[in-house]
Amino acid sequence: MHDVPAWVETLREVILLIAWTVLVLRVPALRRPPQRPVWIALAVLATGSLVIQAEVGGWVDEVTGVPKAGELAVALVALTDFAFVWWLAVALDGAGRTVPAWLRRAPVVCAAAMAALAFAFFAVTPAPDRFGARAHGWWAGYAVVWIAYGLITAVGAAAVFWRHGVAMRSPVLRVSVLALAVGTSAEVPYLLIRGVRWFTEAPASLALAGFWCSFARFVLVALGCSLAALEPLWQVSLYWYRRQRLYGLWLLLRRATPELVVAPPPSRRADLLAFDSAWERLHQRVIEIHDSITFLHDGWASPELLHEAGEATGAPPYSGGPGQSRLVQRQRLTAAACWIEVTRREAAAGADKLYHKELDKDLLPEVLADRSTVHREIRRMLRLHRALRSRTVGSFADGFRPETPSAVGAGS
């Protein structure tokens, strides 16, 4: 029908394969209300793409014995697809605020009304005039309400996707919602071109432009839904990966502070296979690292150690401002690594605690460990781990001679 490259059908098959793979992988999303709408919308799109095949339409005509019944089935599948994408946009808009009841019901009401009108116009229109290249007689009414319905669903969905897509924090969700925004926006010129072709003699180039708009809508909506459906898996994988990167530092510090260990740490194999509660496990690991560092600071650090660590690395006192240079940040991180390594060795060797009443916390790393800061804090912890294994910190720890508890007690 259209002069399009052969790769179009190949790409369509690839997109459908991706969509069905995602649907199978994300079946658990049906148990989670926030993830359910995108799975259902993708399922409707993927199923509809199979139903609209010419072979299926011919089979429907043969079974029903009604001329053009297969094309009516295709129209019903398309209007269902439009409605569910709009419903997905409404669900996205309602995540965090109250959506008016009329708007929540609008996709279903509009789809039901359009389906009823489609059946009505199909029944009163002579068979030769149904789904023709030009709209004549009663079928002109069908063309008008179909274009109106399509524009309402496309504009309603696109407006929501554009508004939320540019504000998404998650890169995966931002790309997926913007893909949905572009895809639903491409539906508007397709519908306008279809209207022109129904009522005027349109050139073949206009029909081809409409095809490309429709194909872009299919590809972008399918990929957008697939990415959104996979985003929870991406988050779990990301949290798992970050937790594994902290394993070395966490194990090093927890072994030096067994007093803080409530339950035996999991084996390396068990830790690698633990994917459940991914964020909670990562958050716990960050907090446990911070607790061990604080415990070492309060138990085995001394004013002399903190002073010498700062002097050895040239780290200036913390000014309280956010605009520290990278050099200063690196110096302060190395100074923290110096006193942490000394206290870690003392704790591991079973040395008595010093119990200083007032100890400078200037070189004690601060950890907030919430979702907005954890990535930055993990990067700082990884740099700290590298510093702990550096030659500079090792030489400092080898050369430092801590004061004895008796000397501390005599001087206090």
Side-chain angles (χ1 to χ4, degrees):
M1 182 178 180
H2 300 292
D3 185 17
V4 297
W7 57 262
V8 169
E9 182 60 26
T10 302
L11 179 58
R12 178 185 168 279
E13 293 174 356
V14 170
I15 296 298
L16 280 177
L17 178 61
I18 293 173
W20 281 106
T21 302
V22 172
L23 286 172
V24 172
L25 288 175
R26 296 298 298 137
V27 167
L30 290 172
R31 299 196 302 267
R32 300 175 176 87
Q35 301 172 19
R36 193 179 300 147
V38 69
W39 191 95
I40 295 176
L42 183 61
V44 170
L45 177 66
T47 304
S49 297
L50 298 179
V51 174
I52 64 174
Q53 300 301 308
E55 296 80 2
V56 177
W59 176 81
V60 172
D61 289 345
E62 182 180 349
V63 170
T64 61
V66 178
K68 304 291 184 69
E71 295 192 53
L72 177 62
V74 170
L76 294 175
V77 167
L79 71 87
T80 304
D81 177 12
F82 291 177
F84 272 96
V85 173
W86 188 16
W87 172 68
L88 172 61
V90 173
L92 173 64
D93 201 34
R97 76 180 187 93
T98 302
V99 176
W102 68 267
L103 184 56
R104 292 198 304 271
R105 292 191 292 265
V108 176
V109 172
C110 289
M114 184 63 233
L117 289 171
F119 276 110
F121 281 112
F122 186 84
V124 300
T125 304
D129 292 340
R130 298 169 184 167
F131 299 102
R134 299 285 297 276
H136 301 287
W138 285 104
W139 203 247
Y142 169 84
V144 171
V145 295
W146 175 261
I147 296 300
Y149 168 76
L151 289 175
I152 290 171
T153 58
V155 173
V160 174
F161 289 140
W162 279 116
R163 185 169 70 251
H164 287 277
V166 296
M168 286 288 177
R169 289 186 176 182
S170 167
V172 176
L173 283 181
R174 188 183 309 120
V175 171
S176 67
V177 176
L178 287 177
L180 288 167
V182 177
T184 49
S185 298
E187 190 178 328
V188 174
Y190 160 73
L191 291 167
L192 295 177
I193 291 172
R194 190 70 188 92
V196 171
R197 293 176 57 216
W198 256 328
F199 294 103
T200 65
E201 288 290 346
S205 59
L206 191 62
L208 185 59
F211 166 80
W212 284 117
C213 290
S214 176
F215 185 70
R217 191 261 184 197
F218 164 74
V219 171
L220 291 172
V221 171
L223 289 180
C225 289
S226 298
L227 284 174
L230 287 174
E231 198 271 344
L233 286 182
W234 164 256
Q235 284 291 343
V236 168
S237 301
L238 185 62
Y239 293 147
W240 177 88
Y241 172 70
R242 289 173 176 173
R243 190 178 86 244
Q244 298 309 318
R245 296 193 71 190
L246 291 175
Y247 182 83
L249 177 62
W250 170 79
L251 188 63
L252 184 72
L253 295 175
R254 296 309 273 183
R255 284 176 173 172
T257 55
E259 299 93 333
L260 301 180
V261 179
V262 178
S267 66
R268 185 61 175 140
R269 179 176 179 273
D271 190 67
L272 285 171
L273 296 178
F275 288 93
D276 61 307
S277 305
W279 161 250
E280 289 76 8
R281 290 178 182 273
L282 174 62
H283 182 265
Q284 180 181 0
R285 180 148 298 176
V286 172
I287 294 300
E288 288 178 349
I289 290 173
H290 180 251
D291 287 347
S292 292
I293 292 175
T294 303
F295 190 73
L296 292 173
H297 178 274
D298 295 343
W300 288 274
S302 65
E304 175 193 8
L305 170 60
L306 299 178
H307 176 74
E308 288 196 21
E311 288 290 322
T313 58
Y318 181 57
S319 62
Q324 289 185 336
S325 66
R326 290 187 178 182
L327 175 61
V328 172
Q329 293 176 8
R330 186 164 57 251
Q331 289 172 332
R332 291 179 55 79
L333 184 73
T334 306
C338 286
W339 72 255
I340 290 173
E341 178 60 15
V342 171
T343 56
R344 185 193 68 80
R345 294 184 183 185
E346 290 294 301
D352 294 331
K353 296 181 181 179
L354 300 181
Y355 293 114
H356 285 277
K357 293 182 179 180
E358 294 185 3
L359 198 60
D360 185 12
K361 298 184 182 298
D362 179 56
L363 293 178
L364 184 63
E366 179 185 6
V367 173
L368 301 177
D370 59 29
R371 289 182 188 266
S372 63
T373 63
V374 71
H375 185 207
R376 183 170 65 252
E377 291 167 0
I378 288 173
R379 290 170 59 187
R380 188 166 63 242
M381 287 181 173
L382 293 173
R383 289 196 296 268
L384 175 63
H385 192 202
R386 287 194 295 269
L388 285 170
R389 294 175 293 176
S390 68
R391 183 176 302 176
T392 300
V393 172
S395 298
F396 176 86
D398 291 339
F400 182 78
R401 295 294 177 264
E403 55 187 318
T404 62
S406 58
V408 175
S412 58

